[in-house]
Amino acid sequence: MATKKIIAVVGATGAQGGGLVRAILSEPKGEYTARALTRDVNSDKARALASQGAEVVAADIDDVQSVKRAFKGAHGAYCVTFYWAHYKPEKELAEASAMAKAARETGVEHVIWSTLEDTRKWLPLSDNRMPTLMGKYKVPHFDGKGEADHFFTELRLPMTFQLTSFYWENLIYFGMGPKKGADGKLAIAMPMGDKKLPGIASEDSGRCAYGIFKKGRELIGKTVGLSGEQLTASQMVVALTRALGQEVRYNDVSPETYRAFGFPGADDLGNMFQFKRDFEAYYCGARDPKVARSLNPALQTFDSWLAQNAKRIPLG
Ligand SMILES: NC(=O)c1ccc[n+]([C@@H]2O[C@H](COP(=O)([O-])OP(=O)(O)OC[C@H]3O[C@@H](n4cnc5c(N)ncnc54)[C@H](OP(=O)(O)O)[C@@H]3O)[C@@H](O)[C@H]2O)c1
């Protein structure tokens, strides 16, 4: 049997990386095998991946030597950072730099960097349409990732830059699900006006990444934007109402109101939605679902995701 090509996956116990590992494992006769990176090889999630056939190895993206060990011998590396674990763009920059160096030194042949736009290219800090945050960012959890792209290009790595979309799982885990207002009615609050929000099942982001590795050379040097469907918030509440069997309304708050919600990261997310709203043509255009479907024919729509997941959405 020919030796399989190893894909080393950062964030393997998480959403994007987990989707990629499961996609690779779902084709046991395929050309690739999954090496799952985790800080804790004994966690339940790590053990589950091992029992499904992944090679599970210890690595911490804050420790470049551990990443080098984990990338050694790999054909591909999937690189992602975890903004919401620390809320520090500078940490994402350092981690991206460490992963790029590790990929260079180990001679990985195809690297995917799960990045996002540096929104300051559209909205320089001098632009007063939204506040500058942390002194030098507009959307900190986007800008740090976009700024970090240069670490990969400067080392002339064989790159594909992946732009993913709003996970529909945010309705389950991220406090963005329908909440009861003073009138007792369920509503989702989002400053999107009548503009479309590209969304995706996070599992599909990983499945598409597998599609990128399978296409290989064709996608090296390219940026690939992913979404499962692009819907306005009004269209999302129609689908939610149908799936939940109770009315959900759209509370079209202003970005200012959203930023003032006061939960950690509300200002960052308020700016993020405003960026998506005000640059809809660019943002949606960069994430054509046809591209994602060509990489992952089983790509879910919002309705198909809801059919599997509506029951998991907490109704506050
Ligand atoms: N939510 C959205 O809609 C959305 C959309 C687009 C992009 N994003 C971006 O996606 C990124 C997160 O990706 P995700 O959602 O796939 O992550 P996730 O589900 O939160 O995954 C977290 C995993 O990352 C691992 N991890 C955390 N810190 C680590 C470290 N220092 N070294 C190695 N592994 C570490 C953990 O694994 P172990 O505990 O096993 O080590 C954990 O299981 C964020 O930066 C976010 O901005 C999110």
Side-chain angles (χ1 to χ4, degrees):
M1 198 180 75
T3 315
K4 289 193 180 242
K5 293 178 179 168
I6 299 166
I7 308 287
V9 183
V10 175
T13 58
Q16 299 186 45
L20 171 58
V21 171
R22 285 181 287 277
I24 297 169
L25 298 178
S26 73
E27 292 186 357
K29 296 210 166 95
E31 203 184 335
Y32 299 93
T33 182
R35 179 180 290 165
L37 279 62
T38 172
R39 291 165 301 172
D40 179 4
V41 297
N42 291 312
S43 72
D44 290 347
K45 287 182 176 172
R47 283 172 188 271
L49 292 176
S51 72
Q52 288 160 40
E55 176 194 1
V56 176
V57 302
D60 185 325
I61 56 171
D62 295 320
D63 170 5
V64 67
Q65 296 305 331
S66 75
V67 181
K68 269 188 224 166
R69 284 192 296 275
F71 282 4
K72 200 165 176 219
H75 161 85
Y78 185 77
C79 300
V80 56
T81 48
F82 311 99
Y83 181 83
W84 302 107
H86 48 72
Y87 299 76
K88 293 189 189 81
E90 287 76 16
K91 196 165 158 70
E92 291 194 287
L93 283 155
E95 292 169 342
S97 170
M99 291 188 285
K101 281 188 189 131
R104 175 82 281 162
E105 288 185 28
T106 53
V108 171
E109 290 171 52
H110 192 175
V111 180
I112 298 180
W113 163 228
S114 181
T115 185
L116 286 167
E117 286 83 355
D118 183 342
T119 64
R120 297 166 296 183
K121 291 183 187 158
W122 288 262
L123 287 156
L125 297 185
S126 58
D127 192 316
N128 291 327
R129 275 178 288 179
M130 64 173 68
T132 293
L133 304 177
M134 302 179 185
K136 52 179 174 172
Y137 301 103
K138 287 297 190 186
V139 184
H141 78 284
F142 271 52
D143 298 348
K145 292 182 181 73
E147 185 178 329
D149 290 357
H150 77 90
F151 293 120
F152 296 91
T153 41
E154 278 165 15
L155 291 178
R156 298 178 182 278
L157 285 161
M159 291 306 301
T160 303
F161 294 93
Q162 177 192 298
L163 301 167
T164 194
S165 290
F166 178 89
Y167 307 162
W168 291 318
E169 284 77 7
N170 292 337
L171 300 171
I172 304 174
Y173 303 117
F174 215 66
M176 291 190 185
K179 297 204 180 35
K180 276 205 177 110
D183 58 1
K185 304 275 185 201
L186 288 171
I188 55 168
M190 243 179 225
M192 284 301 294
D194 61 356
K195 304 299 187 223
K196 288 183 176 167
L197 175 68
I200 194 162
S202 61
E203 191 76 6
D204 277 332
S205 180
R207 289 184 192 149
C208 290
Y210 182 39
I212 293 172
F213 281 122
K214 287 204 282 189
K215 288 218 172 181
R217 198 164 304 182
E218 194 185 316
L219 291 177
I220 287 177
K222 301 269 185 342
T223 296
V224 177
L226 305 173
S227 72
E229 200 172 5
Q230 306 188 342
L231 298 171
T232 63
S234 300
Q235 291 171 319
M236 287 178 76
V237 294
V238 169
L240 279 163
T241 298
R242 208 168 34 227
L244 294 168
Q246 49 180 315
E247 190 190 4
V248 181
R249 297 178 178 188
Y250 170 36
N251 185 7
D252 182 16
V253 295
S254 68
E256 291 74 20
T257 301
Y258 198 96
R259 284 190 281 271
F261 278 164
F263 61 83
D267 49 1
D268 187 335
L269 292 171
N271 283 7
M272 174 195 79
F273 282 121
Q274 187 177 343
F275 172 70
K276 294 180 184 184
R277 183 193 71 179
D278 294 352
F279 298 92
E280 181 202 31
Y282 157 75
Y283 194 80
C284 288
R287 290 164 170 76
D288 184 346
K290 284 199 209 89
V291 172
R293 190 156 285 112
S294 73
L295 296 164
N296 164 27
L299 186 76
Q300 295 163 77
T301 60
F302 190 44
D303 278 337
S304 57
W305 179 84
L306 281 171
Q308 299 299 319
N309 294 283
K311 286 196 184 69
R312 299 166 63 214
I313 299 176
L315 302 176

